[in-house]
Amino acid sequence: RIDIFLVLGKAIKNYQLFINHQSLNAHILCSIMRYLYLPLIALLTASQTVAGLSLPGPAFGVNARLVAKPERRDELTALLLQNRASTLQNEPEALQFSFGPDPNDPLVVHLHERFTSRHGFDVHRDAPHLDDWREFKASDPFFVPPRFVFYDLAEGSGEVPESKGPGVFCRNVDARIRPEAQGDFLEVIRGIALGSRDEELCLQYAWGEDVEVPNLFHFHEEYIIGNGGKEELEALASTPYFEEWERFAGDGGLFMEPPDVKCFTIL
């Protein structure tokens, strides 16, 4: 595959040189456009990155769980605040950077990032402004190694919400579904995503399948309910589309393992 796309890249380069030749007449140019250039473009768009050309793909999501040592907690928080500002300011393909502490364990920080594509995340990972983060990670600041999950965001995940400032309640969820249930599962999830758009309390309901593990789905949700408001969550759970989820999930037989739900409030 690599060799094929290298050949296609060279063909485009030769084409560009060719059309700049002053002796090229309009008839030949039209023929090239019809029989060479347009098919090449169709082939190239099937790949994210070909011969040095970055092409768009699905939006890309990252969820993370970070557990700092007590003496490094404040340092981690300050660094994440700095990284959020520099990432959103300097990276056009970075769309979202939400993080905050777990309400049940202040040493645990959960994070969600969103990029226009996998290419945007690759650019982010190599960004110079993350040198401080790389140095921090190398200094043994965590109780356990950070856990990151990566997923292509599904259609229907919606746009990134406008910033509501600190205090927004979030959930990152991991759910591994039995293969035979995936079709019905996706239908129910799309219904929840569509219905949540009409809820004033729900800012975001995004999800997608893990890039490596089949049938493992990751979610990121945001709600205007402060620090995990019980009454507001119960109100959301009583909506028709969430009730449909309860009927579908039933006794948990849908899952290969119990879903892992992680809550946090954005700093």
Side-chain angles (χ1 to χ4, degrees):
R1 178 180 177 181
I2 294 176
D3 290 339
I4 292 174
F5 283 113
L6 285 175
V7 170
L8 292 175
K10 290 179 180 179
I12 289 180
K13 183 177 180 180
N14 291 336
Y15 160 73
Q16 290 170 333
L17 293 173
F18 189 47
I19 63 172
N20 288 332
H21 197 281
Q22 294 181 354
S23 62
L24 183 66
N25 63 46
H27 176 74
I28 297 177
L29 177 59
C30 290
S31 297
I32 291 174
M33 286 291 292
R34 183 176 180 181
Y35 296 109
L36 173 62
Y37 188 63
L38 295 180
L40 284 176
I41 290 298
L43 286 171
L44 288 173
T45 54
S47 175
Q48 291 277 343
T49 304
V50 176
L53 298 176
S54 174
L55 299 170
F60 193 74
V62 180
N63 292 352
R65 180 178 184 269
L66 311 171
V67 187
K69 295 177 179 178
E71 66 272 17
R72 307 297 297 276
R73 176 182 177 274
D74 291 344
E75 186 180 355
L76 172 62
T77 299
L79 186 58
L80 289 173
L81 287 169
Q82 173 186 317
N83 286 350
R84 178 171 64 189
S86 56
T87 294
L88 297 178
Q89 179 178 354
N90 298 313
E91 298 180 35
E93 294 184 86
L95 302 176
Q96 188 174 11
F97 193 121
S98 300
F99 76 93
D102 189 298
N104 298 315
D105 188 344
L107 296 181
V108 177
V109 173
H110 301 294
L111 177 146
H112 170 75
E113 295 180 82
R114 182 169 179 170
F115 300 87
T116 57
S117 67
R118 176 61 184 265
H119 173 264
F121 171 69
D122 290 338
V123 170
H124 168 72
R125 188 171 53 185
D126 297 329
H129 61 78
L130 293 184
D131 286 345
D132 289 345
W133 168 252
R134 287 183 276 269
E135 181 178 345
F136 176 78
K137 282 182 59 180
S139 67
D140 191 29
F142 299 111
F143 265 133
V144 295
R147 180 176 183 266
F148 290 85
V149 297
F150 308 100
Y151 53 108
D152 292 319
L153 285 160
E155 291 186 13
S157 289
E159 302 296 328
V160 175
E162 294 184 9
S163 175
K164 300 296 182 180
V168 171
F169 178 77
C170 302
R171 295 196 298 197
N172 287 349
V173 181
D174 305 320
R176 193 168 186 187
I177 306 302
R178 297 190 181 280
E180 63 272 18
Q182 187 185 114
D184 293 336
F185 167 77
L186 291 176
E187 183 178 351
V188 172
I189 292 302
R190 292 187 186 107
I192 293 175
L194 185 61
S196 67
R197 296 176 187 175
D198 296 327
E199 295 294 333
E200 293 183 2
L201 298 178
C202 183
L203 298 176
Q204 186 175 19
Y205 189 92
W207 85 98
E209 189 171 10
D210 191 275
V211 297
E212 294 183 351
V213 182
N215 302 307
L216 174 59
F217 290 84
H218 306 292
F219 297 77
H220 176 70
E221 309 165 34
E222 295 192 3
Y223 302 93
I224 311 177
I225 55 177
N227 192 18
K230 182 178 179 181
E231 294 182 1
E232 292 90 340
L233 283 176
E234 290 177 349
L236 285 170
S238 66
T239 57
Y241 45 88
F242 273 107
E243 288 181 345
E244 175 62 23
W245 166 254
E246 292 297 330
R247 287 192 293 269
F248 177 69
D251 60 0
L254 161 72
F255 304 105
M256 296 183 67
E257 54 197 37
D260 184 11
V261 181
K262 299 166 285 290
C263 302
F264 64 102
T265 302
I266 293 178
L267 292 179

